[in-house]
Amino acid sequence: MLKILLFLLPAVLVLAQPGSSVPNSHKEWQDYKLDHGKTYQDEAEELSRRNVYHQNKELIQQHNLRFSKGLETFKRAVNQFTDLLTTEMNQMMNDFRFTHSHKQRGSTFITPEYSTLPESVDWRLKGAVTPVKHQGYTCGSCWAFAAAGALEGQHFRKTGKLIPLSPQNLVDCSGSYGNNGCQGGLDSRSFAYIKDSGGIATEQSYPYMGVQRNCNMTDTTIGATSSGFVELPYGDEKKLAEAVAFFGPVSVSFDANQTSFHSYSSGIYQDPACRTQKFTHVVVVVGYGTESGKDYWLVKNSWGTKWGIDGYFKIIRNANNHCGIANYPTFPLV
């Protein structure tokens, strides 16, 4: 259940002044809290959260009205983040900290010489993708979920076995490689750690806790190993498509700071406010395709199945590297 930290309250309470609008339906608000497991520390916070919910819902409805008129390419919906301010959402869920100067260097990506790029790819259909997970509200561990997800796909291709791997192992144990636990990290650093440490634990033997703890690999089971990783050319969507098609799921970073993305529910995401040089979130591209004449990437998120398309989203492809999704793609070697 979401417990909002005390230092966030002053900014929120500004919205709870006299005259603020609140949802008319008491049942609607109660159902929302029940559906998403929401609890608040007192009545003042609940009132402010209810105001935020209402304001975000209004924005969602306005967006979907434009969608119904063909003015937007994706829909938005109320979800577990609707009672959060955009600044809070980004602080809690998009705490990916990218420092290129400290980035691990990977192997060079080489396009297969005699292969034709398929029109669409979906690695879920081949059994190479584990179920969507939830990183929680207080741990910026998206990088660990993305690294684990990309390696799950490569391990499946190598062995035919789909084994859920442990993001918690990376959160707890890869600090000496430059990762910062719940305060952010890099998929490339994670692959380097996995290579040098002899593998990554299974999710079952090292379950996710949503907080950084002391590294504890005692009595864990190694689920997969890696011999390094491949670094794709910067900003090249064609190379990214080749990597996804010919090699498997790929870890990517992009700008997820827009409110429109936080409430995404279906369709092909495209927001002109999205930046190509801002990287706040790490996810796994598991496929691509074309829908209603628009090319898209199919991407696995780590915000649970109540967000997006059962935890996935589609984002515009071949549109000038939208949101910077092709800037720093990597996939592990096995």
Side-chain angles (χ1 to χ4, degrees):
M1 294 184 180
L2 176 60
K3 298 288 188 179
I4 303 300
L5 301 178
L6 285 174
F7 70 85
L8 294 173
L9 281 175
V12 180
L13 289 175
V14 171
L15 297 174
Q17 300 302 316
S20 294
S21 59
V22 298
N24 293 325
S25 172
H26 175 74
K27 184 178 185 302
E28 174 190 339
W29 175 244
Q30 296 304 316
D31 288 345
Y32 174 78
K33 291 193 298 177
L34 181 63
D35 188 36
H36 298 291
K38 300 284 185 174
T39 59
Y40 306 105
Q41 62 183 9
D42 54 35
E43 291 183 3
E45 186 193 353
E46 178 164 351
L47 176 59
S48 65
R49 289 296 162 197
R50 193 171 175 179
N51 277 314
V52 173
Y53 166 88
H54 181 55
Q55 293 176 9
N56 283 335
K57 182 184 174 184
E58 287 293 322
L59 293 175
I60 291 169
Q61 291 174 334
Q62 292 170 14
H63 175 98
N64 288 343
L65 179 60
R66 294 194 300 273
F67 175 83
S68 69
K69 296 178 180 179
L71 302 177
E72 301 284 355
T73 60
F74 65 100
K75 292 185 69 175
R76 298 169 62 179
V78 168
N79 60 27
Q80 67 264 41
F81 306 126
T82 308
D83 65 339
L84 296 176
L85 297 170
T86 301
T87 52
E88 293 176 301
M89 176 66 184
N90 289 331
Q91 182 178 21
M92 292 176 182
M93 307 298 291
N94 293 328
D95 202 21
F96 169 58
R97 302 182 181 184
F98 180 85
T99 305
H100 184 63
S101 61
H102 295 95
K103 187 174 182 289
Q104 298 284 336
R105 304 305 302 183
S107 300
T108 301
F109 177 74
I110 301 176
T111 301
E113 187 69 23
Y114 300 106
S115 297
T116 300
L117 194 67
E119 292 185 0
S120 63
V121 172
D122 187 344
W123 282 102
R124 299 176 302 178
L125 303 179
K126 298 180 180 294
V129 184
T130 59
V132 171
K133 303 177 180 71
H134 199 320
Q135 69 187 71
Y137 296 99
T138 59
C139 188
S141 55
C142 58
W143 56 274
F145 282 88
L151 184 52
E152 288 165 352
Q154 292 301 313
H155 184 75
F156 171 82
R157 294 202 65 208
K158 177 182 179 180
T159 67
K161 298 178 180 179
L162 185 62
I163 301 175
L165 302 176
S166 173
Q168 190 69 46
N169 181 181
L170 300 176
V171 170
D172 292 347
C173 305
S174 63
S176 62
Y177 286 75
N179 288 331
N180 296 303
C182 288
Q183 302 305 312
L186 283 175
D187 43 2
S188 56
R189 295 170 184 163
S190 302
F191 298 140
Y193 160 77
I194 293 168
K195 175 185 176 182
D196 293 346
S197 63
I200 180 175
T202 62
E203 170 69 19
Q204 183 177 10
S205 67
Y206 204 142
Y208 187 67
M209 303 300 291
V211 295
Q212 184 177 5
R213 308 176 304 173
N214 292 328
C215 183
N216 182 17
M217 288 293 287
T218 305
D219 297 327
T220 57
T221 301
I222 296 298
T225 59
S226 175
S227 58
F229 67 95
V230 175
E231 183 177 30
L232 273 63
Y234 178 89
D236 193 327
E237 290 193 82
K238 186 174 186 295
K239 295 296 184 183
L240 176 55
E242 292 171 352
V244 173
F246 302 137
F247 295 97
V250 174
S251 174
V252 300
S253 56
F254 76 111
D255 178 18
N257 270 6
Q258 311 309 316
T259 303
S260 61
F261 183 74
H262 303 162
S263 56
Y264 167 89
S265 65
S266 64
I268 300 176
Y269 181 74
Q270 186 174 14
D271 189 330
C274 208
R275 295 157 292 181
T276 58
Q277 297 298 326
K278 179 73 173 180
F279 311 104
T280 64
H281 195 42
V282 193
V283 289
V284 184
V285 176
V286 301
Y288 63 81
T290 303
E291 183 175 279
S292 301
K294 291 184 178 292
D295 296 337
Y296 67 84
W297 298 108
L298 176 64
V299 192
K300 180 184 181 183
N301 202 356
S302 54
W303 292 351
T305 58
K306 290 185 177 181
W307 179 90
I309 310 169
D310 297 323
Y312 290 84
F313 67 98
K314 296 175 181 178
I315 184 170
I316 194 76
R317 176 170 62 97
N318 297 330
N320 298 316
N321 186 26
H322 194 60
C323 299
I325 197 165
N327 282 356
Y328 296 105
T330 60
F331 65 88
L333 295 168
V334 293

